[in-house]
Amino acid sequence: TQKEISDMLHKMKLDIIKWKLTNKNTNMSPEQNTILTAYTVFKMLLESGDRNDSADMYLISKTMLKKIPEEQRDKNYILEISRGKYVIKYYSHKMAGKTEMSDRTLSDDVNKDIRFYLKAKNIHYGEYMFANSSGTVYTRNIISQVLSKTSKHYCGKCVGSRVIRHLIITEEQKEIAEKKKEVDDFLKEKAKSHGHSTGMIKIYQDQ
């Protein structure tokens, strides 16, 4: 549930704060790297509802991106659009060639988490976002393992991008249903006041 995910992230954040990783020269253990990575990826997933396409994400500046011809953009980029603010740009994803994915803007909260992550891991432009403590870049499969292992430790359940996507879509469906009910109630009220059926009100509305 959403609450379980929120509780899990809260516990993870408490541990991350306890480690005092704000100094970029801090030596991070493999376990700390795994948890910090999982926390950051989870926060991004909860906002975007994407798959594990963050696996080969590359930190880049606007100037660097402009120098790459459109046809040669074969990575997923986390683009710094202004100081400390980022946008995810997808060029290499599971549905590439079948459908385009729009850019993902990120909230101030997630931007803050990303800034912390980049500083703690001392990541610069032109480097991959997610890698293990020895520098090996995470694949989609490894990202999935990192999320499952970390969530199992913190909440007793294996949580991955598929679970997050399902939660987000379920919440969106609830929101759509609520808005539809509001519209239906409004139409019923107008139909009653005008002495028409709701069907007739819809006909007038479409004209």
Side-chain angles (χ1 to χ4, degrees):
T1 64
Q2 286 277 18
K3 185 180 184 306
E4 288 175 314
I5 300 296
S6 297
D7 289 346
M8 176 187 73
L9 290 174
H10 178 67
K11 292 175 184 176
M12 291 168 68
K13 188 168 186 177
L14 289 177
D15 278 346
I16 291 167
I17 292 171
K18 183 176 64 180
W19 297 331
K20 297 180 180 179
L21 300 174
T22 52
N23 187 331
K24 65 183 180 182
N25 296 316
T26 300
N27 290 322
M28 196 182 305
S29 71
E31 181 185 10
Q32 289 172 334
N33 177 74
T34 296
I35 293 170
L36 179 60
T37 297
Y39 176 81
T40 307
V41 172
F42 272 129
K43 289 296 291 287
M44 293 168 67
L45 287 174
L46 281 166
E47 201 145 285
S48 67
D50 296 327
R51 298 177 177 85
N52 290 333
D53 295 307
S54 57
D56 62 349
M57 195 166 287
Y58 199 71
L59 180 63
I60 198 168
S61 68
K62 289 192 289 186
T63 301
M64 292 171 68
L65 185 62
K66 285 178 182 178
K67 291 180 180 179
I68 304 174
E70 190 79 26
E71 65 276 8
Q72 293 181 22
R73 296 177 183 179
D74 57 354
K75 296 181 178 67
N76 295 322
Y77 301 100
I78 182 151
L79 171 69
E80 187 170 28
I81 54 174
S82 61
R83 187 172 179 81
K85 291 192 175 182
Y86 303 91
V87 166
I88 301 172
K89 299 185 75 68
Y90 287 110
Y91 294 96
S92 172
H93 54 87
K94 187 175 182 180
M95 300 302 289
K98 298 179 182 179
T99 182
E100 292 185 6
M101 289 180 69
S102 58
D103 294 349
R104 301 290 196 258
T105 56
L106 301 168
S107 67
D108 290 343
D109 181 51
V110 175
N111 275 307
K112 183 179 178 181
D113 290 324
I114 290 173
R115 289 194 300 270
F116 180 91
Y117 176 87
L118 295 174
K119 185 176 181 180
K121 294 203 61 178
N122 199 20
I123 296 172
H124 302 96
Y125 290 146
E127 296 180 352
Y128 285 98
M129 277 281 288
F130 301 112
N132 64 19
S133 54
S134 63
T136 302
V137 178
Y138 284 151
T139 62
R140 286 172 171 80
N141 186 49
I142 294 176
I143 284 283
S144 180
Q145 292 174 22
V146 165
L147 297 181
S148 294
K149 177 184 176 182
T150 308
S151 58
K152 181 73 173 176
H153 173 73
Y154 279 94
C155 72
K157 297 180 180 179
C158 292
V159 179
S161 60
R162 182 175 295 181
V163 173
I164 299 295
R165 283 165 64 82
H166 183 267
L167 281 174
I168 290 173
I169 292 171
T170 299
E171 288 300 313
E172 288 175 346
Q173 290 297 323
K174 288 179 183 177
E175 186 178 343
I176 291 169
E178 288 171 1
K179 290 186 181 298
K180 183 178 183 302
K181 186 177 184 305
E182 287 177 12
V183 171
D184 289 343
D185 290 344
F186 175 79
L187 290 174
K188 287 177 183 178
E189 182 182 338
K190 290 301 177 183
K192 185 177 180 180
S193 65
H194 293 297
H196 286 306
S197 67
T198 54
M200 184 60 70
I201 293 293
K202 288 180 181 179
I203 290 172
Y204 286 142
Q205 187 181 32
D206 294 337
Q207 288 179 346

